[in-house]
Every structure is written in C-alpha cells, then in structure tokens.
Amino acid sequence: VREAAPTGQSAARKVGLTYDSLTDESSALGVHLQGKAAATPTTLVLDRQGRIAARVAGQVTSEGLLKGLVEDVANEKT
C-alpha cells in the first residue's frame, strides 16, 4: 500500500512469497475491497468467480494454513 511496485516485489522476494501480490500506490484498491483488507498485510483467496472466499488479516505465519485455504476454495463446487 502506497509504495511503488518494485518496492513491494523486492519485499516479497525477501520473504519468499510464491503467490501474486497486489500493488496499490494510490490506496484506491482499498475502496473497492469495501473494508475487506483493512489490515496490512491481508491475504485474500479468491474463488473462480473472483469473489473473496477466504481472508487472513495480518501476517500468514503458516504455509500450511494458506495452502489449506487455497485447496478448500479450489475444491469448492461451482
């Protein structure tokens, strides 16, 4: 939030993130998320229709937690 994409990409590499991250230099994205990502960082897992299916406010401290959330959403019937 409020930083250039290369800065965020560098931080993501440093901590070993292997999934996509959003850049929000202007802080406009927060408006579209309607308060769903009030904390920084917030991890959102989207379903096949692009809806927020799972959310973790704050740091994800367990790879297993994130993997489980993604797998649960991926296995949902549409």
Side-chain angles (χ1 to χ4, degrees):
V1 176
R2 294 184 300 271
E3 65 185 13
T7 303
Q9 291 165 345
S10 175
R13 277 193 301 276
K14 280 183 184 177
V15 298
L17 293 184
T18 58
Y19 50 88
D20 293 335
S21 182
L22 301 175
T23 298
D24 189 19
E25 281 186 65
S26 68
S27 298
L29 183 59
V31 172
H32 298 290
L33 291 173
Q34 301 171 352
K36 301 286 193 275
T40 303
T42 294
T43 299
L44 302 173
V45 179
L46 306 180
D47 67 12
R48 288 181 173 90
Q49 287 75 39
R51 299 174 300 200
I52 298 171
R55 174 182 63 188
V56 178
Q59 182 178 2
V60 175
T61 57
S62 165
E63 184 178 330
L65 169 68
L66 183 59
K67 184 177 179 180
L69 290 172
V70 170
E71 288 175 351
D72 287 349
V73 172
N75 291 328
E76 287 181 356
K77 303 288 185 221
T78 57

